[in-house]
Amino acid sequence: MSHQFIDGTWTTGSGGTADVVNPFDASVVDRLDQAGPEDVDRAVAAARAAFDAGPWPRTPTAERAALLHRVADLLQRDKEQIARTETLDTGKTLIESGIDVDDVTNVFRYYADLVAADSGRVVDTGLSHVVSRVVHEPVGVCALITPWNYPLLQLSWKVAPALAAGNTVVIKPSEVTPLTSLKLVELLAEAGAPPGAVNIVLGDGRSVGSPLVAHRDVDLVSFTGGVATGQAIMRAAADTVKRVSLELGGKNPNVVFADTDFDTVVDYALVAVFLHAGQVCSAGARLIVEDSLYDPLVAEVARRAERIRLGNGLDPETESGPLVSEVQRTKIEDYVASAVAEGARLVAGGRRPDDPALAKGFFYRPTVFADCHTGMRVVREETFGPILTVERFRGEEEAVALANGTDYGLAGAVWTNDMATAHRVADALRHGTVWINDYHPYIPGAEWGGMKRSGTGRELGPTGLHEYQETKHVWHNTAPSAQRWFKA
Ligand code: TXE
């Protein structure tokens, strides 16, 4: 067993072993060695040496871009195998896993093309003998820490721009779902990443994540995960003034005005929240509905939620898989109990499935609560599971107030056929992404990230590259002459 990739070599970690579990039936998919403290040190030292004296940061951008394109080709070559692994590891359906691989491929291609076109800029100084240019350089050693809901996808949003910019990286995937991250490292090595440019260490947050964040030789931490962990990372990074980028999830409003098409909005309301069993940072977990549409919409969403077919992600008939772990299911059950105790009206789900074929897995029925308000914990906090809460509004002002009435600010949507209303509400929402008459799409070229407690920094788009770049101003006086500032 050798699952740590350090300085171009697969080595065995000294931190014991951990099982990777299939959430569908709790069977063991793989057993992997874990990094010990000395492995973390060796990985950072390799990345440091590769940054300070290795070829990668000095490789012309066109060659770095070519490597990223090769990775994209390899991802497509191995697409089926990667998608299957992601499904075994996370429980999501094979269709979703396949979409993830395509999206990851596109992210590598996007950053390859973007960095190839990034030649800095020349600034007009007004002085003919002075050349002033602004250039982008890599930041240094980047620790990339990822969660378990979109393991490969979220890693790609970090590793593609980090490498495109010329950084070296140490990856720490979630201990729950490390398999496709290992595969991506294999592909990066196959594509020709030089030793030390890409390293991966496995383990949990306490024994591997935390020492990485505190390490003196790490210059940047990019993290996606929970708010409490993000806060701890921000605090720890302060000691060495690291650059930090955080994506910490959301509690995302899906605002529906009464003039919208009923059947369409029911479909989208369901996929907004129940995609990947609700374990999506941008899940539309708060449905906020105009008074006159409220009762029919609640009834139809509840009816359709009851019909969602749970099952094995590998089965093409499955519409939704299990939660990722027993820990996550326990959390969801706790939220359901608190919602009932606080007076929310349960109209769908609220229980584990009865089907004995699903008994071993971490399944929970898609759940809908009506008559919710922002005083309830289930409305305020990110549940990260298949729970939809429905609130009622009267008038645009109240809709906006409710949608913004959260500590989070990652994403939200507005549904209406009145385009003036749509854009007024979109402008008023304090969320990093706003969809009008849609839910979920994102594209490599447009920034992704949150306001308020949803985090700091942006992934994707040009800003997603700048996160991994230092900006340097070079001033060249081509004709210096004595100025006699001080007397000769
Ligand atoms: O996340 P953690 P968890 C939210 C969601 C979920 C909650 C908890 O609400 O229920 O967070 O999930 C590593 N220093 N999101 O506990 O702990 C950890 O090993 C450095 C939102 O799984 O934040 C893993 O690799 N690293 C979200 C990663 O951080 C540490 C996606 C995420 O784990 C660390 C996932 C430490 N001290 C959960 N402690 C999103 N934004 O999409 C843990 N880690």
Side-chain angles (χ1 to χ4, degrees):
M1 273 200 297
S2 298
H3 296 110
Q4 325 300 310
F5 191 69
I6 301 174
D7 208 12
T9 307
W10 289 101
T11 58
T12 306
S14 62
T17 60
D19 289 343
V20 178
V21 170
N22 182 347
F24 166 66
D25 58 4
S27 61
V28 174
V29 180
D30 211 339
R31 175 163 294 174
L32 308 178
D33 54 275
Q34 305 290 291
E38 60 278 22
D39 300 314
V40 174
D41 281 343
R42 282 197 308 118
V44 174
R48 182 82 262 159
F51 185 79
D52 292 342
W56 186 248
R58 290 148 202 94
T59 300
T61 48
E63 284 178 36
R64 294 206 296 261
L67 185 139
L68 295 194
H69 276 302
R70 282 200 295 282
V71 174
D73 294 341
L74 296 174
L75 282 160
Q76 286 302 303
R77 181 195 70 189
D78 295 347
K79 177 177 167 181
E80 273 181 37
Q81 182 223 334
I82 298 170
R84 197 183 151 79
T85 304
E86 196 74 317
T87 289
L88 290 176
D89 209 353
T90 62
K92 69 174 70 175
T93 64
L94 207 47
I95 291 176
E96 289 176 62
S97 297
I99 293 171
D100 285 0
V101 180
D102 287 343
D103 287 352
V104 168
T105 305
N106 291 337
V107 166
F108 273 89
R109 294 210 190 285
Y110 172 75
Y111 280 112
D113 293 342
L114 189 70
V115 80
D118 175 31
S119 48
R121 68 183 201 275
V122 173
V123 181
D124 182 2
T125 62
L127 302 166
S128 58
H129 64 289
V130 172
V131 179
S132 163
R133 54 191 181 92
V134 173
V135 293
H136 293 132
E137 297 182 354
V139 176
V141 175
C142 303
L144 311 180
I145 302 178
T146 49
W148 41 259
N149 54 339
Y150 285 83
L152 183 68
L153 186 87
Q154 274 155 337
L155 178 56
S156 76
W157 291 11
K158 302 180 191 305
V159 78
L163 291 178
N167 298 278
T168 60
V169 303
V170 180
I171 297 162
K172 196 215 83 68
S174 166
E175 60 275 31
V176 185
T177 56
L179 297 179
T180 52
S181 302
L182 289 169
K183 174 69 181 177
L184 182 60
V185 169
E186 268 176 46
L187 297 184
L188 283 159
E190 184 180 344
V198 177
N199 308 273
I200 186 167
V201 280
L202 304 187
D204 61 24
R206 189 179 47 79
S207 47
V208 177
S210 197
L212 257 185
V213 173
H215 208 293
R216 295 187 63 78
D217 280 332
V218 170
D219 302 299
L220 176 155
V221 179
S222 178
F223 167 79
T224 303
V227 175
T229 312
Q231 289 168 324
I233 286 175
M234 214 168 180
R235 272 185 220 110
D239 284 343
T240 49
V241 196
K242 287 181 176 62
R243 193 186 283 203
V244 179
S245 157
L246 304 171
E247 206 269 65
L248 307 179
K251 189 72 192 182
N252 313 289
N254 194 5
V255 178
V256 181
F257 284 86
D259 67 346
T260 194
D261 178 69
F262 187 78
D263 290 338
T264 307
V265 84
V266 169
D267 267 353
Y268 278 83
L270 291 166
V271 77
V273 64
F274 295 129
L275 183 77
H276 192 17
Q279 303 165 116
V280 182
C281 51
S282 51
R286 288 179 69 199
L287 192 60
I288 300 175
V289 186
E290 191 164 16
D291 190 34
S292 60
L293 193 68
Y294 185 89
D295 291 327
L297 194 63
V298 165
E300 185 60 4
V301 165
R303 189 186 71 80
R304 293 272 307 274
E306 286 290 2
R307 292 169 57 90
I308 292 175
R309 195 186 152 117
L310 304 186
N312 187 344
L314 295 177
D315 177 350
E317 297 296 311
T318 294
E319 293 179 317
S320 182
L323 292 162
V324 77
S325 64
E326 188 58 57
V327 171
Q328 209 56 24
R329 180 163 65 176
T330 306
K331 240 181 93 173
I332 294 310
E333 291 181 327
D334 183 50
Y335 274 115
V336 169
S338 89
V340 171
E342 289 182 303
R345 179 163 56 96
L346 182 67
V347 291
R351 59 189 164 82
R352 297 181 183 193
D354 309 321
D355 184 351
L358 307 182
K360 288 191 194 151
F362 313 127
F363 286 92
Y364 199 80
R365 284 295 319 165
T367 296
V368 182
F369 282 109
D371 303 348
C372 295
H373 56 78
T374 48
M376 296 172 175
R377 194 161 78 89
V378 72
V379 177
R380 287 195 312 271
E381 297 179 13
E382 181 183 51
T383 66
F384 228 60
I387 303 179
L388 178 67
T389 62
V390 195
E391 297 159 71
R392 187 193 299 263
F393 75 85
R394 292 175 191 81
E396 186 178 320
E397 202 178 318
E398 190 183 13
V400 169
L402 287 173
N404 285 339
T406 163
D407 290 338
Y408 288 99
L410 186 63
V414 52
W415 289 85
T416 172
N417 285 325
D418 180 334
M419 285 307 105
T421 306
H423 284 276
R424 261 197 324 273
V425 173
D427 288 351
L429 291 188
R430 295 285 297 158
H431 295 270
T433 293
V434 178
W435 294 289
I436 297 174
N437 294 348
D438 210 332
Y439 208 100
H440 279 316
Y442 67 89
I443 43 176
E447 278 73 2
W448 178 267
M451 302 181 185
K452 303 197 270 183
R453 286 188 206 167
S454 288
T456 163
R458 289 291 180 273
E459 300 194 283
L460 301 182
T463 315
L465 178 64
H466 295 326
E467 295 281 339
Y468 296 94
Q469 291 177 318
E470 292 285 8
T471 302
K472 181 188 277 180
H473 176 209
V474 179
W475 169 281
H476 181 184
N477 185 346
T478 61
S481 60
Q483 287 188 25
R484 296 277 179 249
W485 188 281
F486 300 110
K487 290 194 180 69

